[in-house]
Amino acid sequence: MSVETTASEATATEATARTAHHRRYLMCKPSHFTVNYSINPWMEPSKPTDTDRAVAQWQKLHDLYLELGHEVELIEPLAGYPDMVYTANGGFVIDGRAYVPEFRFVERQGEAPAFAEWFRGAGFDTVMPEEVNEGEGDFLLVGDVILAGTGFRSTGDSHREVGEVFGREVVSLNLIDPRFYHLDTAIAVLDPVQGVENGGPEHANIAYLPGAFDDASRAELEKRFPDAILVSDEDGAVFGLNSASDGYNVVISPRAVGFEKQLRERGYNPIMVDLSELLLGGGGIKCCTLELRGAK
């Protein structure tokens, strides 16, 4: 792109390059959703929750994915595990291989066997972990690289382990704000497909909240993603980055108004879905969405 290219021309060029890619997701209906314990700053058991409202909001997200042409698989919700709706924490899946979580808190540890059983039943090469990790909550695939979060849930040893399981480069990022206790609350992967030959951009891009990371992690993100969208604290605080993208359509919180504008300027199509009831448990759109990447 020449220096004479105007900002509007650049935006138009980017807009024409956006392609929606078919995705396959795993979700879990929040039939047993409530907040009766606290394992993150968002969870306040003294605040009332409305399970029916949580189910209705979740259903809108589920139905939107189908309307966009994506596949949605369902795992049966287990009584006594209200956080099972946050399926992103239930594993990390690349090329038909599923790395099962080892939850830090005992309140969620009973979910792991259910996810392992589901993966096996669905034909995934299922790998049981030795290290504490919380699946796609802390592991994000960007192009050929795995961004891995630590600081609150997944341990650094799980970063080594996930690299060995998938044979990919792992970039460790340290989260420092307890509100953003999982990596997927502070980074959104905007391009799930990388490479012009695959119908995606040459380099997959992200959006992130700079204040959620320590100095070394911010420097690493700046180096690797110089064109990333930097999201404001206001949009981060309403879980704006806990979003799901197919490369064109980006499903986000309706309260992340600044992020919505930033996405449109880059040629993405933001779609707002309200999951405010599920935010009472510390989860949003991406938390409810586990990407199932099949074998190539």
Side-chain angles (χ1 to χ4, degrees):
M1 188 179 294
S2 68
V3 293
E4 290 81 16
T5 301
T6 66
S8 60
E9 288 173 335
T11 300
T13 300
E14 290 175 338
T16 58
R18 305 299 176 206
T19 302
H21 297 272
H22 177 267
R23 314 314 298 159
R24 184 182 178 208
Y25 298 134
L26 179 64
M27 300 183 72
C28 182
K29 192 172 184 176
S31 304
H32 307 292
F33 179 74
T34 188
V35 176
N36 54 16
Y37 54 80
S38 180
I39 58 174
N40 67 59
W42 304 89
M43 302 177 81
E44 297 183 38
S46 60
K47 284 187 176 180
T49 54
D50 186 332
T51 303
D52 289 341
R53 185 166 186 258
V55 170
Q57 291 182 346
W58 174 92
Q59 192 68 49
K60 289 181 179 179
L61 178 64
H62 170 277
D63 293 351
L64 173 62
Y65 287 148
L66 296 181
E67 290 169 14
L68 293 174
H70 304 315
E71 291 178 69
V72 178
E73 306 284 352
L74 295 175
I75 184 172
E76 191 69 22
L78 299 179
Y81 293 97
D83 287 349
M84 199 168 172
V85 61
Y86 307 125
T87 52
N89 308 142
F92 187 47
V93 184
I94 305 176
D95 296 343
R97 170 171 280 197
Y99 176 52
V100 176
E102 178 69 38
F103 288 97
R104 175 171 295 280
F105 291 104
V106 66
E107 288 88 348
R108 298 199 64 181
Q109 288 171 2
E111 297 176 35
F115 280 106
E117 181 181 359
W118 190 92
F119 290 133
R120 292 191 190 100
F124 288 92
D125 173 18
T126 304
V127 180
M128 300 304 293
E130 295 182 2
E131 306 296 341
V132 172
N133 82 88
E134 301 204 349
E136 206 167 45
D138 272 331
F139 301 133
L140 299 175
L141 181 65
V142 187
D144 296 323
V145 175
I146 297 170
L147 302 184
T150 191
F152 297 101
R153 296 295 182 87
S154 301
T155 65
D157 286 342
S158 69
H159 296 186
R160 170 196 53 77
E161 188 173 66
V162 76
E164 293 172 352
V165 167
F166 294 108
R168 293 175 183 249
E169 179 187 5
V170 175
V171 177
S172 292
L173 301 169
N174 194 44
L175 296 159
I176 59 172
D177 187 329
R179 295 175 300 165
F180 308 106
Y181 57 94
H182 276 145
L183 191 64
D184 69 356
T185 67
I187 290 181
V189 180
L190 301 179
D191 303 308
V193 174
Q194 176 175 279
V196 177
E197 68 280 7
N198 300 317
E202 184 175 354
H203 300 290
N205 204 6
I206 66 170
Y208 68 95
L209 176 63
F213 299 94
D214 66 13
D215 291 344
S217 299
R218 281 200 304 273
E220 187 67 28
L221 290 169
E222 289 168 5
K223 180 180 72 175
R224 288 178 177 267
F225 304 100
D227 298 322
I229 294 177
L230 304 184
V231 173
S232 70
D233 289 345
E234 290 79 9
D235 287 342
V238 294
F239 263 38
L241 283 161
N242 196 244
S243 307
S245 175
D246 62 17
Y248 173 62
N249 302 295
V250 187
V251 188
I252 68 170
S253 164
R255 293 186 289 169
V257 292
F259 187 33
E260 177 192 0
K261 181 180 179 183
Q262 289 174 304
L263 288 167
R264 292 194 188 282
E265 289 172 348
R266 298 291 189 99
Y268 296 97
N269 179 44
I271 303 174
M272 278 59 74
V273 173
D274 178 23
L275 289 190
S276 54
E277 194 68 22
L278 290 166
L279 183 57
L280 296 175
I285 291 159
K286 180 65 189 75
C287 289
C288 296
T289 309
L290 174 62
E291 182 112 23
L292 299 173
R293 303 175 186 88
K296 294 180 180 178

